[in-house]
Amino acid sequence: MAILLLAVVALTACSVKKEEPKAVSPDLGVTEKAGNSKDFNLDNQPYLGNPDAPIQIIEFADYKCPACKRWKDEVLNPLKKNYIDSGQAVYYYVDLPFLAPDSTLAALAGETLYQQDPAYFWTYFDLMMEHQGKKDEEWANRDFIIELVADEIPEADLEQFTQELDEEKYLPQIKKDVLIADAHEVGGTPTVFVNGQMVEDVSYEGIKATIEGK
C-alpha cells in the first residue's frame, strides 16, 4: 500500500504500519492490485444522510485509531448537525484496518452487522468509539465484540451475527475497502475526501472550508 503521511490540524493521524495478522484474527491476505481506479465503490458502504446530496464526505478509519475517535467526536458530530442532517452532505465510512490484528476483526464485525441491518452498524460504530481501548492492546477481540452486541444491540440476531463473524462471510468487503484505500493512496486514518478530493486539514474548520470552497 502506498504510504502518504498526512499533516493535519488539531488531529494527529494514525499512520500505516504493516503487520501480519495473528492466526486468531481474520487474514486479509490482500495481494490484488487496485490499479489506477478512482472509483470509491460506495454502493455497499455505510452512510449517513442523503446519498444524492451535493456534498460527499468519505472517511477511511480504523476502530482502534485514537485520532478516529477524536475525529468522530470533534468533527463528524458537528458535520452531521450542520451539513448531513440538513441534506447538504452525505457521509460514508470506509474501513482501513491496519493498526493491529484485532482492527480487522472489529471492521469485519461492523460489516457483518451492516449486512444484517444498517442501523445496527451505526450503533456498533458509536459503541466501538465510545469503548475504544488502547491502541497497542488487543481489546477488540471476539469475546468483547460478541458481548457488546449481545448487551447493547439486543435487537440484532446474535446467533446469525456470531455465525457469520466466525465464518468471515463478509471479509471480501473489507478486502475491497483496503484496495479502495490503496487506489487513492490513503496512508493513515482518519483520511477524509470531500467530493473526491483528499482533504489535508481534517479538522472541522478544515472540512468546512473545503465544503464552502474557501
Side-chain angles (χ1 to χ4, degrees):
M1 180 179 292
I3 306 300
L4 179 62
L5 298 181
L6 303 178
V8 298
V9 175
L11 292 163
T12 302
C14 303
S15 60
V16 166
K17 180 180 179 180
K18 288 279 191 177
E19 296 185 19
E20 289 297 323
K22 297 179 182 178
V24 296
S25 299
D27 185 354
L28 284 173
V30 176
T31 57
E32 180 184 350
K33 296 298 182 182
N36 296 319
S37 172
K38 293 303 178 182
D39 186 1
F40 283 97
N41 295 312
L42 298 173
D43 289 346
N44 200 31
Q45 300 289 4
Y47 68 89
L48 293 172
N50 179 2
D52 295 323
I55 301 164
Q56 182 189 82
I57 303 168
I58 302 170
E59 180 199 8
F60 289 83
D62 186 319
Y63 289 105
K64 296 198 67 180
C65 171
C68 294
K69 173 178 169 55
R70 291 194 296 273
W71 195 85
K72 175 190 178 296
D73 294 340
E74 300 172 12
V75 184
L76 179 57
N77 287 346
L79 283 175
K80 186 175 184 300
K81 177 181 178 182
N82 297 325
Y83 293 98
I84 298 170
D85 290 346
S86 65
Q88 300 176 70
V90 58
Y91 161 78
Y92 288 92
Y93 178 93
V94 183
D95 287 298
L96 180 55
F98 69 91
L99 284 171
D102 52 328
S103 293
T104 301
L105 186 63
L108 180 58
E111 183 64 34
T112 303
L113 286 168
Y114 175 74
Q115 295 298 334
Q116 192 175 131
D117 189 320
Y120 302 161
F121 170 84
W122 290 111
T123 301
Y124 173 82
F125 170 79
D126 289 338
L127 289 167
M128 288 294 282
M129 293 301 180
E130 179 183 344
H131 296 288
Q132 188 183 78
K134 294 181 179 179
K135 183 173 63 173
D136 57 353
E137 293 181 359
E138 199 166 326
W139 58 270
N141 54 59
R142 180 181 182 277
D143 289 344
F144 171 84
I145 290 171
I146 290 176
E147 183 177 356
L148 185 74
V149 173
D151 291 346
E152 303 291 344
I153 317 176
E155 61 273 26
D157 186 327
L158 186 64
E159 182 177 354
Q160 177 186 337
F161 168 74
T162 303
Q163 178 181 336
E164 292 179 346
L165 181 66
D166 288 345
E167 67 187 25
E168 301 177 2
K169 182 175 180 179
Y170 298 106
L171 193 60
Q173 179 67 32
I174 308 303
K175 292 182 179 180
K176 187 186 83 169
D177 288 356
V178 173
L179 290 172
I180 294 170
D182 185 46
H184 291 83
E185 300 184 307
V186 175
T189 55
T191 293
V192 180
F193 290 78
V194 173
N195 288 345
Q197 299 299 314
M198 186 183 291
V199 181
E200 184 174 346
D201 175 5
V202 299
S203 67
Y204 177 73
E205 290 303 321
I207 301 292
K208 179 181 178 182
T210 302
I211 288 173
E212 298 182 358
K214 296 180 179 179

